[in-house]
Amino acid sequence: MRRWGGDGDGRRQPPARSRPRRPVAALTAVVATVAALALALGGCATAADGPVGPRFVTPPLIHYTSVLWPVPLQLVGGEPGSRLRITATLTDGRGTWRSSATYTVPAGGMLDLATARPQLAPFAEPDSVGLFWSLDGPELSGTALATHWMHDTLPVTLAAFDADRLVASRTFDLQGLADGLRPHTLYTRDLEGAGTSRFPRETHEDQPVAQFWKATSQERPITPAVLMFDDPAPGASAAFAAPLLARFGASVLVLPVSSAPDGVRASSVVDSTTVEHALAWLAAQQGIDARDVFVYGTGVSEPLALWAATRFPTRVHGLFAAGGAPQLLCLPSGSTAPAFEDGAGLPCRVGPGPDSASSVIPLGGVDGPVVLACGGRDTVLASACSGQAALAAARGMRAGDSIQSAPRAGHAVTVPPGLPVALPRGRPGAPAGSGADAQATEQARVAFWNAVAQIVLRATRS
C-alpha cells in the first residue's frame, strides 16, 4: 500500500466447520456495538465539569484515543446568538498543530458540535470531531508520523473565544491507539515450518518475512485473524490499520509488499508458497480461529489481497480492500507480475483498466463478507471506483458485503478515523468540483472501518 508519511494448490479441504456458529444479532445491534466500541476507542476520561459557566461537555467515562469516531461534544452555557471561534491546538516536541471553526450559539445556549453547521471552517458539515482530524501542522517522516499519532499521548486543547475573550477551554489527552502494542517479527524459519511445501529459494535465507500483531481481546480466547499485505516502509498503513484491527479483536499478520514510486504498482513479488506458509502459521497459533481468516490490502496491495483470497478460497473467509486496481499490475519493469504461483509468474497488466466484470480478479469463490471502498476523486489511481464497481459486478452483491464509493473522497480512505493523516488539503470555501474533499474522505474512513468492525465483531462472537 501507499505510504501515508505513505495449501499449495489452493484446493485443500478446509478445517471441519463442525462447531456451530452462534446466531448473529440483528444488524442494528451490531451497529450499536460498533458505536460503543468507537466511543471506547474514541477519545480522556471526562473530568468533572463545573456547575456554571460555559464549558465543553462529553459523556462520562469515555477513554479518548487518537483514533476518533464522531462522539457527543457540546459547549453548554454559551450566550445565545453569540458567535464563537473554537480552536483546537496541539503542541509537543514535534511542533504545533492547529484548527479552528466558527459557530453561532443557538437560542438555548447549548452548541452541539455533532449537529451545528460551522462557518469559516476546514469542513462544511456538522462534525463533532472535525476540529481534531482537521489539525494542520508540520510534516513528519514515516517513523515519526506513526509514533506521533499512534503511540504518543497527545494533549489537544479546545478553546472557545467570543471576539478576543476566552469563554471556555478543555484539554483532551488523546492516547495513541497503538500504545502498549508492539508487533512481533517473524523470520523465514518461523513460517517455513508451518507449511507443507518447500519455501521459495529466493527467500530461503533466514530473514524477516512478516510482522504479527496479537489481538488485544481478553474476553474472547479464540479470535479471528487478518492476513495483511502492506508496504514495509516506515509510516506505511500497517502501522495504523493493524493496531486498530488488533483492538477490534483480530490478530494481524503483515506480509511486506513494496510500493513503486507511482503508488499504483507494487515493486516486489509475493509467491503463493509464502502465502500458504503464512496462512498455515496463523492456523497453527493457539487462540486463532482458522475458519475466520480475512485478507486485507489497500492501494498497491489490493490486487495481491484479491489474488490471495481467490487462490486460497478454503482458507480465506473474507476480504477487505480499497483504493487499488482490480487486476494484477506488472512491476515497473512491465513484464513481471507481483504474484507468483509455485515459482511461476502470473499474467499481469501493464496499466490499470479497462475495467469490466470479465477483466477483474474473480471474487466468486470468497464465501464470506467482502468490503470494497474507493474515493471518487482519487488522484493516485483515477480508476479506483470503476475498478471496485467491476469487482462488485463480477461477484454479485451478497449478504454481509459492503461496497462503498465516496464520490468526493480522495485516495486514502482506509486511514483510521479521526487522524489528520493523508487528507486532501483544499482551501475553505473552495468550489465543490475543485478536488477531493477532506470531510468526505474522513466520512469514507468512518464508513469503511464501521463495515470492517461489524465483520470482525461478528467473527469474535461466533
Side-chain angles (χ1 to χ4, degrees):
M1 175 182 189
R2 184 176 178 84
R3 186 170 54 161
W4 289 342
D7 61 39
D9 61 3
R11 298 178 178 84
R12 295 179 61 182
Q13 294 301 311
R17 293 181 179 254
S18 57
R19 179 165 60 90
R21 293 175 179 268
R22 299 176 185 172
V24 177
L27 181 59
T28 52
V30 176
V31 172
T33 303
V34 173
L37 179 58
L39 289 177
L41 294 177
C44 66
T46 307
D49 293 306
V52 295
R55 60 205 182 275
F56 290 102
V57 174
T58 61
L61 304 179
I62 295 180
H63 178 72
Y64 286 87
T65 75
S66 56
V67 174
L68 281 165
W69 267 257
V71 294
L73 175 59
Q74 301 170 344
L75 186 143
V76 300
E79 181 180 348
S82 63
R83 196 176 190 192
L84 299 181
R85 182 172 61 93
I86 300 180
T87 65
T89 306
L90 162 63
T91 299
D92 64 7
R94 294 188 174 91
T96 297
W97 287 258
R98 294 184 176 90
S99 182
S100 67
T102 301
Y103 295 87
T104 299
V105 179
M110 188 273 286
L111 177 64
D112 187 347
L113 298 188
T115 60
R117 187 177 298 276
Q119 307 109 28
L120 301 177
F123 47 95
E125 302 297 325
D127 192 328
S128 63
V129 294
L131 288 166
F132 294 88
W133 58 254
S134 64
L135 285 165
D136 194 12
E139 296 291 331
L140 300 178
S141 65
T143 300
L145 185 75
T147 300
H148 181 78
W149 295 112
M150 297 301 291
H151 292 275
D152 292 349
T153 295
L154 307 173
V156 179
T157 299
L158 292 189
F161 294 88
D162 186 347
D164 293 330
R165 181 172 61 91
L166 176 67
V167 297
S169 178
R170 177 171 168 183
T171 297
F172 295 80
D173 291 319
L174 307 185
Q175 184 181 14
L177 185 68
D179 184 33
L181 298 180
R182 291 293 185 277
H184 171 63
T185 299
L186 300 183
Y187 291 82
T188 306
R189 65 180 180 273
D190 297 313
L191 295 188
E192 196 170 30
T196 57
S197 58
R198 184 175 60 85
F199 226 65
R201 179 174 299 174
E202 63 270 22
T203 61
H204 187 67
E205 294 182 2
D206 194 24
Q207 58 184 341
V209 292
Q211 286 194 322
F212 180 64
W213 298 76
K214 185 174 178 58
T216 61
S217 175
Q218 298 179 351
E219 301 80 11
R220 310 278 179 181
I222 306 297
T223 67
V226 176
L227 178 62
M228 177 181 291
F229 297 88
D230 188 70
D231 192 329
S237 57
F240 299 83
L244 179 54
L245 287 165
R247 295 294 188 190
F248 283 158
S251 294
V252 183
L253 183 62
V254 184
L255 291 179
V257 178
S258 297
S259 173
D262 64 4
V264 174
R265 296 168 179 80
S267 61
S268 60
V269 172
V270 176
D271 192 273
S272 61
T273 309
T274 303
V275 179
E276 174 197 358
H277 281 267
L279 292 170
W281 186 88
L282 283 171
Q285 301 309 298
Q286 184 177 5
I288 290 180
D289 188 344
R291 304 171 309 164
D292 280 318
V293 176
F294 303 86
V295 290
Y296 177 109
T298 60
V300 302
S301 299
E302 176 175 347
L304 288 162
L306 302 175
W307 161 73
T310 57
R311 169 66 174 170
F312 299 95
T314 63
R315 296 188 177 191
V316 171
H317 181 58
L319 167 71
F320 312 133
Q327 311 106 341
L328 289 172
L329 299 182
C330 301
L331 303 186
S333 64
S335 60
T336 304
F340 277 44
E341 292 195 355
D342 302 320
L346 295 173
C348 60
R349 297 184 62 97
V350 174
D355 301 319
S356 66
S358 61
S359 69
V360 301
I361 297 175
L363 299 179
V366 181
D367 69 346
V370 167
V371 178
L372 301 175
C374 65
R377 295 180 182 169
D378 188 330
T379 58
V380 176
L381 180 62
S383 62
C385 284
S386 63
Q388 307 299 52
L391 286 169
R395 173 175 169 82
M397 180 60 76
R398 304 185 188 181
D401 287 358
S402 178
I403 313 299
Q404 304 172 8
S405 176
R408 295 186 296 114
H411 175 69
V413 296
T414 60
V415 178
L419 296 177
V421 174
L423 284 167
R425 295 293 183 184
R427 61 182 178 82
S434 61
D437 180 77
Q439 189 168 33
T441 305
E442 169 67 11
Q443 291 168 346
R445 295 172 177 182
V446 172
F448 176 81
W449 284 108
N450 276 350
V452 171
Q454 290 174 27
I455 291 167
V456 172
L457 289 171
R458 284 191 181 106
T460 63
R461 293 170 173 173
S462 63

